[in-house]
Amino acid sequence: MQTVSELKVGAITDTPLVIFDCALPNGNTEHWCTHGITIGTTAYAARVLQHSAFDIQTASDQGVDGSPTITLLLANADSYFSEIERSTGFRGATITASFVFYDLPNNAPLTDAVVVPGDL
């Protein structure tokens, strides 16, 4: 498997995705992405309508890739997130954003997921 650093400099790359893992205060976990994908045994629901993660500063002068903040717009037409808010709440949840190149036609990750540094 190639690394993100190797693939990001290529002339042609597969789909770059940011995946989100949310650890809720009650111990449950949620996994979201813009596409319904599977990485290993973890299924990521296509719940992210929009995110600001591609405002990431890649290959900065300091050699650090990062983003000061990431904003998410989540799909809630079926009140899925409203139910989580009512039953558990998101206060105290931890969200980890990771970057991966993904081969959508073959439903396979091309790189390991790399955590996006920053405060979320």
Side-chain angles (χ1 to χ4, degrees), residues 32-92:
W32 314 311
C33 185
T34 54
H35 297 73
I37 63 169
T38 302
I39 297 178
T41 58
T42 304
Y44 288 83
R47 290 278 181 179
V48 179
L49 296 176
Q50 185 178 357
H51 60 77
S52 64
F54 286 111
D55 296 339
I56 296 170
Q57 304 166 358
T58 58
S60 65
D61 294 339
Q62 295 82 19
V64 177
D65 295 348
S67 176
T69 60
I70 295 177
T71 304
L72 294 176
L73 177 61
L74 301 171
N76 194 36
D78 59 355
S79 296
Y80 180 79
F81 293 110
S82 298
E83 288 298 319
I84 293 173
E85 179 60 33
R86 277 193 283 279
S87 65
T88 303
F90 287 98
R91 184 174 299 276

Side-chain angles (χ1 to χ4, degrees), residues 3-9 18 53-70 97-101 114-120:
T3 66
V4 168
S5 296
E6 292 169 345
L7 280 180
K8 77 176 184 179
V9 297
V18 178
F54 286 111
D55 296 339
I56 296 170
Q57 304 166 358
T58 58
S60 65
D61 294 339
Q62 295 82 19
V64 177
D65 295 348
S67 176
T69 60
I70 295 177
S98 302
F99 182 86
V100 64
F101 280 106
V114 176
V115 174
V116 176
D119 297 326
L120 299 178

